[in-house]
Structures are given as structure tokens and as C-alpha cells.
Amino acid sequence: MAAEEEAAPLSGVGWAAGPESAPAGWSVITTSVEGSAANLGKGFGHKGGYLCVSTAAPGSAGPVVTDVQVLSDRNPQPAGYSRAPEFPEPRSGVSRKKRLYVRLQPRGAAETAVFDIKLSGKSRAVPQYMKIGEIGSFAIWCKKGALPQCSPPPVPKPRTVSLGLKQLSLADSEQQAPGKPVAQSGSRHASFTLHNSADDGSSIYNLSAMDGVPFTLHPKFERSPKSDSSAILTDLTVKSLADIEKEYNYTFVVERTAAARLPPSIC
């Protein structure tokens, strides 16, 4: 059953004067179900002839064969049917005792279609196939089935933002202070840590340009509107690098290393 659903319907049924006469895309039925040569002979109005079929391409929206009839030349052409093509073109003045008619319909408008055609002896029955007529010494059988409709390609649904997400987004934007600069990741800035002597119990005013520098400023050097700058300068003692290294046992390794890595233009 799965193989039947996956089979492609026929898109054409025709007649070929020989096994090599069918055009590209057409398959000639050269043998019957018994295994004998499926040459229709003089019964089709020629010295020889074969049925040929074409199969619809997967996903094709072209017409498909929905019915096939074999009628005598005395019967009128049925409405909605067309004569099966002949390869090569039929010769004028040649009588055909039997004619092959094909009904084609757009794939989207057809519910059933013909999926296969077989030939057998007149006394032979082909299971699951329907007999449509006889030509010469052969019986013509066709297999019909439901035509699966091609489903349209899926259309992605537009993304919608729920009310909860909108409210959350607005709440986050309102919590941010306007004009507050945002620090960019990866950038290096000199950090200054200030501890107010009034709030800090140790009464230390810290100022550092980078982490790891063990220097603190005495509270008397804290600038204040009430402080006297002349008195501060009087008690100020300037120490050299050697005095600092000796007193604090600090060799300025971090500063020298950082200075050695700076470009000459900055130094």
C-alpha cells in the first residue's frame, strides 16, 4: 500500500511504431505480463506498434491521465477525451480499427488518476487492474488510484511579543537612569576608589590608579573648603623613589612593567 501511494501518476499514454520511436521521457511497454513481446500488430492499423507512457515528475502541477478508453473507429470521440499521440506522426490514409483515447485533467482538479498500464493475453486476468479494452491479441489493463494532493509549502508564522514581555521590556528601560554612561566590556580605565573619612571608621582617604598599589593619603591632605592650603604645604614632605622603596619595601615593579609595554608615542 505504501508503494502505491508513493507511485507517480501517468502524464500521457501514446502509441509508438517501434521500441525506439518514443521520444525522451516516454517508456515503451515492450512485454506483456506473460513475458511475450507486446507488439500490437495489425490490430492498431500498422504492421507493428507498442503502447508507451510518460510519468508525471514528482511535485509537478501539470496534467495527469485520469482515464483511458479503447474504442472502435466507428465510435465517436468521447467528450473531454483526446486521441492518444502517435510516434512518429500518423500517416494519412491509414485505417485504424481501434483508437486510444486519453482524458487529461489538471492535477489540482483530479481526485483519481491512472498509475500504470499493462498488457496481457485476452484470457488472462491482472489482479488490481481494470480492463479497458482489447487491441489485436492483447487485453489492455490500467491501474487507477486516489491522487494525493500536493500540500503547499509551510508558511512560517509571524512572531508575536506577548503583553508580559512588553511590560517587562518597558520596566527595564524605565529603571535605567537617563544619561548614565554604560561601560564597554574589554576597555581598560583607571579606577579611582574614594573612601570618605566621615563615613569610614579608619579615617583613611584612599586614592589608587590601579589595583595593588599600597598607598594611602593622610586625612589632612583631603581638600576641603575650610582647609588652609599654606598649612598643608608647610607640613608636606616630598620623598624620592628610593626613599619610598626603602620605607615601604616597594620596588615599583608593576609600574615599570606597565610603562615598558606602552607605545613610545605615549611614553
Side-chain angles (χ1 to χ4, degrees):
M1 186 65 66
E4 295 179 5
E5 294 179 356
E6 295 177 358
L10 299 183
S11 60
V13 179
W15 181 86
E20 306 298 332
S21 301
W26 289 73
S27 302
V28 179
I29 304 175
T30 57
T31 58
S32 65
V33 295
E34 294 88 358
S36 59
N39 190 336
L40 299 177
K42 296 181 180 180
F44 209 59
H46 286 275
K47 293 182 179 180
Y50 297 85
L51 288 182
C52 58
V53 296
S54 61
T55 304
S60 174
V64 295
V65 178
T66 58
D67 192 27
V68 180
Q69 292 187 16
V70 179
L71 300 177
S72 170
D73 56 354
R74 297 180 180 181
N75 294 97
Q77 179 173 329
Y81 288 74
S82 60
R83 291 188 61 174
E86 300 180 14
F87 309 106
E89 292 297 327
R91 292 174 295 173
S92 61
V94 177
S95 174
R96 288 153 177 84
K97 297 180 181 180
K98 295 292 182 69
R99 294 177 179 176
L100 190 67
Y101 294 96
V102 180
R103 182 173 65 183
L104 296 173
Q105 284 185 300
R107 187 180 185 121
E111 297 181 357
T112 61
V114 178
F115 287 83
D116 191 20
I117 289 182
K118 290 183 180 296
L119 278 70
S120 72
K122 293 182 178 181
S123 60
R124 176 72 178 268
V126 181
Q128 299 180 356
Y129 280 70
M130 180 180 65
K131 185 177 181 179
I132 60 176
E134 296 179 355
I135 299 178
S137 59
F138 294 97
I140 313 298
W141 303 81
C142 75
K143 184 178 184 180
K144 292 185 178 182
L147 185 63
Q149 298 297 331
C150 299
S151 58
V155 179
K157 296 181 178 180
R159 295 184 178 181
T160 57
V161 181
S162 61
L163 181 60
L165 291 177
K166 289 182 178 180
Q167 294 177 350
L168 180 60
S169 177
L170 293 175
D172 293 342
S173 61
E174 291 176 357
Q175 289 179 359
Q176 292 183 351
K180 183 179 180 180
V182 179
Q184 298 180 355
S185 60
S187 60
R188 297 181 178 179
H189 303 278
S191 59
F192 295 90
T193 305
L194 303 178
H195 297 279
N196 195 341
S197 60
D199 299 332
D200 194 355
S202 58
S203 300
I204 297 177
Y205 182 83
N206 295 324
L207 174 64
S208 60
M210 61 180 61
D211 296 336
V213 181
F215 292 111
T216 58
L217 297 179
H218 196 271
K220 71 179 181 179
F221 294 110
E222 180 180 359
R223 299 189 64 179
S224 174
K226 298 180 180 181
S227 61
D228 188 358
S229 58
S230 59
I232 295 176
L233 293 177
T234 303
D235 298 334
L236 180 63
T237 301
V238 179
K239 295 184 179 181
S240 64
L241 291 177
D243 296 336
I244 296 175
E245 290 179 355
K246 182 178 181 181
E247 180 177 353
Y248 296 98
N249 193 22
Y250 186 74
T251 59
F252 291 93
V253 176
V254 177
E255 288 78 5
R256 290 192 178 97
T257 303
R261 295 177 180 176
L262 294 176
S265 59
I266 298 179
C267 298

